Amino acid sequence: MGALRDRFWELPLAKLNQEEWEALCDGCGRCCLHKVEYEDTGEIEETNVACTLLDFRTARCKDYKNRKAFVPDCLRLTLKLVDKVPWLPDTCAYRRRADNRPLPGWHYLLTGDREAVIRAGVSVAGRVISEDEAGPLEHHIVEWGDGEDGWEEAAA
C-alpha cells in the first residue's frame, strides 16, 4: 500500500495511489443517501434516507471494507466514475479535484479536524433516517447546504 504524500490532494486525481484516493473523502456521508430520480426529466433529488450501513452519529460506513457483501449496489467511486455521477455534491472532494478546484476550507486534510465537516453543515451526521424506517423516499426530500448554510428540508 502506498504512503500518503505531502499535499497529495493538490495532485490530479489520476496521480493518487489507492490510500490517497481513500483519504481524499471528507466523510460527509451524502453518497450513502438514497436519491429520487424522476424518469420523465432525469432530475435527481436528495433525501435524508441513509443506507442501513451508515453510522448516523459519524456519517461513516459501519463496515466499509465489506459493504458490497451487505449492499450489493453500493457504488465504489473510481476515477472513471467521478465525472459520470451527477449527484456528487459540489462540496465533494472528488468532484472538486476532478474539476481542478481546491478542497473546501473545512476539509479535514486542511484543518486536521474530522469534525469540521459537521460544523460546516455539510455532513449528514445526526440528520438522517435509516432506510429500514423511512417509508416512501418522496417524503424525505431535502436540500443540503454548501457548507455555509447547512441544509433545509424541501417543501413537501
Side-chain angles (χ1 to χ4, degrees):
M1 189 169 306
L4 297 178
R5 293 173 283 182
D6 188 43
R7 303 185 68 82
F8 69 88
W9 56 87
E10 295 175 349
L11 297 171
L13 291 176
K15 301 281 187 187
L16 302 184
N17 63 42
Q18 186 62 36
E19 190 174 349
E20 291 166 341
W21 178 269
E22 293 293 331
L24 192 58
C25 176
D26 59 41
C28 74
R30 286 175 62 182
C31 57
C32 299
L33 301 180
H34 291 277
K35 282 73 173 171
V36 174
E37 182 174 4
Y38 298 100
E39 288 184 33
D40 53 340
T41 65
E43 179 185 6
I44 297 172
E45 292 191 289
E46 293 184 283
T47 73
N48 66 346
V49 178
C51 168
T52 193
L53 289 179
L54 190 72
D55 181 319
F56 299 165
R57 268 186 324 99
T58 65
R60 306 293 286 186
C61 185
K62 294 176 194 172
D63 194 358
Y64 183 76
K65 184 177 180 181
N66 301 304
R67 70 192 186 281
K68 297 285 280 178
F70 298 103
V71 183
D73 61 346
C74 180
L75 179 71
R76 181 175 176 265
L77 190 61
T78 64
L79 180 61
K80 289 182 181 181
L81 288 179
V82 168
D83 290 327
K84 295 178 181 159
V85 180
W87 47 259
L88 282 177
D90 191 57
T91 56
C92 176
Y94 297 104
R95 164 73 58 227
R96 294 180 68 86
R97 293 307 302 137
D99 294 341
N100 201 30
R101 292 182 291 152
L103 297 181
W106 46 259
H107 196 287
Y108 85 96
L109 290 170
L110 301 176
T111 66
D113 180 5
R114 281 265 186 202
E115 302 294 315
V117 66
I118 296 171
R119 286 191 303 280
V122 177
S123 174
V124 304
R127 303 189 300 183
V128 294
I129 185 171
S130 172
E131 64 187 352
D132 301 325
E133 301 171 12
L137 292 177
E138 294 79 14
H139 296 170
H140 296 278
I141 293 173
V142 295
E143 291 182 23
W144 296 97
D146 61 4
E148 300 297 325
D149 300 319
W151 68 286
E152 301 169 355
E153 289 193 18

